[in-house]
Amino acid sequence: MSNPFLANIPNPYLNISTYNEVVHQYHRKNKNNHEEVDELDPGCVMYKTDSARKTANELSEVSFTGLSSRPIKKMVDKSTFVHRFGNYYNGERPDLENLIPKQVETVLEVGTALGGFGKGVKKSRPDIHITGVEMNPVMAKTAEKYYDKFITAKFEEVQFNQAFDSIICGDIIEHLYNPWDVLKRMHKILKPGGNLIISIPNVGHWTVVADLLWGKFEYITVGLLCVTHIRWFTESSIRKALSDSGFEIELFERQQIPPTEEGKKFIRKMVRNKLGDEQSLLSSG
């Protein structure tokens, strides 16, 4: 979510609607000439005719990298607003890592992706024995080096011969067909007094609510409306799912990203008309 060439973007954005809002603000602010189109094929790169006449110092190089491919270099006009999804599958998770109690000796991470969490834990808490489970064999091959023990399989199919002090589940259960059974299974393989550290997107976020009121539900590659999400939770429904699985909530934190200008107006209107809770509308996860 960044423009690598010019000033910072006006506001963070989480979906297509807010991306469009921010792009329009960006162009008004920078007074760029641009043409609006209804839709672009996501597989294409489009250049204006005059871009071909620009000199190299008027262009910037952007690198696009896939999960297992080498970077692909593209030259784009410096006035272009470029969206980058960032290091979604390989990023460390200090927000979850910092919640691991000091006395913990054994940790299980469910859904390691490329191993960013394990990498971070091994740097800050090398004394912890960490087991990783990842069903994607391509990601697992990269991730396994950061774990003391690694299992390439679906969590639901793994037979564990030990219990754990902590289980980490960072933005995973929304990708599962039966997250309720998974939560119950996690509870069973925790030691007495053990803990589950979990993060999950909130479908009650204002960006989703606003789009639904206009009949829109547009998936994106990663994030709140990730195309691979199968289940959806609000604060009340995840609290109930945890309680039904035998967990007691000791700490509940909310991720809140400053809304766009239109978002602020929407939230005020919803709250004023008693159609929504401000805290829930502001919480993306």
Side-chain angles (χ1 to χ4, degrees):
M1 298 179 184
S2 64
N3 164 31
F5 309 130
L6 298 174
N8 292 333
I9 59 174
N11 294 98
Y13 55 86
L14 293 175
N15 64 351
I16 294 174
S17 297
T18 48
Y19 171 82
N20 288 332
E21 179 187 344
V22 167
V23 168
H24 292 160
Q25 292 176 2
Y26 168 82
H27 280 293
R28 286 198 299 270
K29 179 180 177 182
N30 292 284
K31 299 180 180 179
N32 292 324
N33 294 322
H34 66 288
E35 297 178 19
E36 290 190 12
V37 295
D38 292 330
E39 187 174 357
L40 283 178
D41 184 330
C44 81
V45 177
M46 187 174 70
Y47 297 92
K48 287 178 133 184
T49 305
D50 60 357
S51 294
R53 303 190 185 99
K54 290 184 179 290
T55 62
N57 62 4
E58 294 177 284
L59 302 174
S60 290
E61 190 175 77
V62 180
S63 176
F64 301 90
T65 307
L67 284 178
S68 59
S69 63
R70 290 179 296 178
I72 301 170
K73 303 293 185 181
K74 296 288 184 182
M75 300 300 292
V76 300
D77 190 306
K78 284 187 176 179
S79 65
T80 302
F81 187 96
V82 177
H83 173 89
R84 288 175 171 172
F85 282 103
N87 204 9
Y88 184 78
Y89 293 103
N90 197 30
E92 297 181 15
R93 291 295 302 267
D95 55 331
L96 303 182
E97 184 184 328
N98 292 337
L99 294 175
I100 301 175
K102 291 182 179 179
Q103 71 275 15
V104 163
E105 296 178 352
T106 58
V107 167
L108 168 67
E109 184 188 4
V110 179
T112 67
L114 294 174
F117 175 82
K119 181 180 179 181
V121 170
K122 277 303 173 186
K123 285 193 294 187
S124 64
R125 302 278 298 272
D127 56 305
I128 289 179
H129 185 282
I130 180 168
T131 299
V133 176
E134 172 57 52
M135 64 176 287
N136 184 310
V138 176
M139 291 188 178
K141 189 173 181 180
T142 299
E144 59 184 358
K145 60 187 175 186
Y146 301 120
Y147 297 80
D148 298 292
K149 182 179 179 180
F150 202 89
I151 304 166
T152 304
K154 290 183 178 181
F155 170 76
E156 299 93 321
E157 299 173 354
V158 179
Q159 297 300 317
F160 295 97
N161 57 9
Q162 69 174 109
F164 299 90
D165 296 318
S166 287
I167 296 177
I168 311 297
C169 192
D171 295 273
I172 294 297
I173 69 168
E174 66 273 15
H175 298 268
L176 306 178
Y177 282 103
N178 197 334
W180 303 278
D181 277 359
V182 166
L183 288 172
K184 290 173 183 175
R185 186 157 191 255
M186 289 178 179
H187 189 271
K188 290 179 180 178
I189 60 173
L190 278 170
K191 293 179 182 179
N195 60 82
L196 168 67
I197 300 171
I198 185 171
S199 62
I200 189 168
N202 173 33
V203 76
H205 190 254
W206 74 267
T207 55
V208 181
V209 176
D211 268 5
L212 285 172
L213 290 174
W214 288 102
K216 294 192 295 182
F217 196 85
E218 299 173 301
Y219 287 102
I220 56 178
T221 305
V222 296
L224 186 58
L225 291 178
C226 178
V227 69
T228 60
H229 288 180
I230 298 172
R231 303 298 185 186
W232 305 91
F233 291 89
T234 61
E235 180 173 328
S236 62
S237 64
I238 189 58
R239 283 181 178 274
K240 184 177 188 303
L242 290 167
S243 176
D244 290 348
S245 302
F247 290 101
E248 295 181 7
I249 297 175
E250 295 181 6
L251 176 67
F252 197 100
E253 295 183 344
R254 300 171 183 84
Q255 181 187 54
Q256 297 186 337
I257 299 170
T260 63
E261 290 304 311
E262 290 301 315
K264 292 175 185 176
K265 296 176 186 177
F266 175 77
I267 292 169
R268 284 197 297 267
K269 187 179 293 185
M270 293 290 285
V271 173
R272 184 171 61 246
N273 289 287
K274 299 181 180 181
L275 296 173
D277 173 73
E278 182 176 13
Q279 184 166 255
S280 175
L281 290 168
L282 283 169
S283 299
S284 58

